[in-house]
Amino acid sequence: MLRQSDRPYVLPGDIGIDDALGDEIVAWTDCFQECLAEEYEDFDRRPRWAPGISAFDWYDEGRRIVAELRARFPDVQVLGQFGNYVFSVNEMRENVGRLPISMPGEVRSGYIGVRDFVAQNLYR
């Protein structure tokens, strides 16, 4: 058996997460590793998951795990930053009140061009 110091990774139990929740985290992560089929380079398409896998169920399970971690570790900032594996970039932007992004050369009403987006974000 590998000692913790010999492994190139950390398991939930190594940082004080009990076995039951740790097993749920590992199963959720395994599902991601096995079932995420394709990410896209554009801003409008959602990532594609393996047939028969509900990305929305996976997302809901992740949100439940994040809530559980926050409840168990109130002094730790637990971030749930995995929506980009379920929703398109533009869906996520519009859900927080930001303009969607268009690709270079696309003129789309109500969108911000990617070049303008990059220029704005480089100097913030």
Side-chain angles (χ1 to χ4, degrees):
M1 181 170 171
L2 289 175
R3 295 185 322 254
Q4 178 185 349
S5 61
D6 294 333
R7 287 186 267 130
Y9 53 85
V10 176
L11 292 171
D14 297 337
I15 58 173
I17 297 172
D18 66 75
D19 288 343
L21 182 56
D23 290 346
E24 292 172 13
I25 292 168
V26 169
W28 181 77
T29 304
D30 285 346
C31 179
F32 171 80
Q33 294 292 326
E34 294 170 10
C35 300
L36 181 68
E38 185 175 7
E39 295 180 69
Y40 294 109
E41 298 291 323
D42 65 42
F43 302 113
D44 291 318
R45 287 189 289 177
R46 290 178 175 165
R48 192 173 54 80
W49 286 68
I53 299 299
S54 170
F56 299 112
D57 289 347
W58 177 85
Y59 179 82
D60 289 344
E61 177 67 3
R63 298 301 307 160
R64 186 195 64 74
I65 289 170
V66 166
E68 185 68 29
L69 288 169
R70 287 176 178 160
R72 292 185 188 194
F73 302 99
D75 296 331
V76 177
Q77 182 181 17
V78 180
L79 302 175
Q81 296 181 323
F82 45 86
N84 58 312
Y85 297 110
V86 177
F87 304 102
S88 74
V89 169
N90 281 339
E91 286 175 315
M92 291 178 40
R93 288 184 57 78
E94 290 179 298
N95 283 335
V96 295
R98 295 191 175 143
L99 290 175
I101 302 171
S102 63
M103 295 298 280
E106 286 184 322
V107 178
R108 296 171 75 177
S109 180
Y111 282 65
I112 183 173
V114 69
R115 288 187 177 112
D116 294 330
F117 168 78
V118 170
Q120 288 176 8
N121 284 297
L122 287 177
Y123 302 105
R124 285 189 182 192

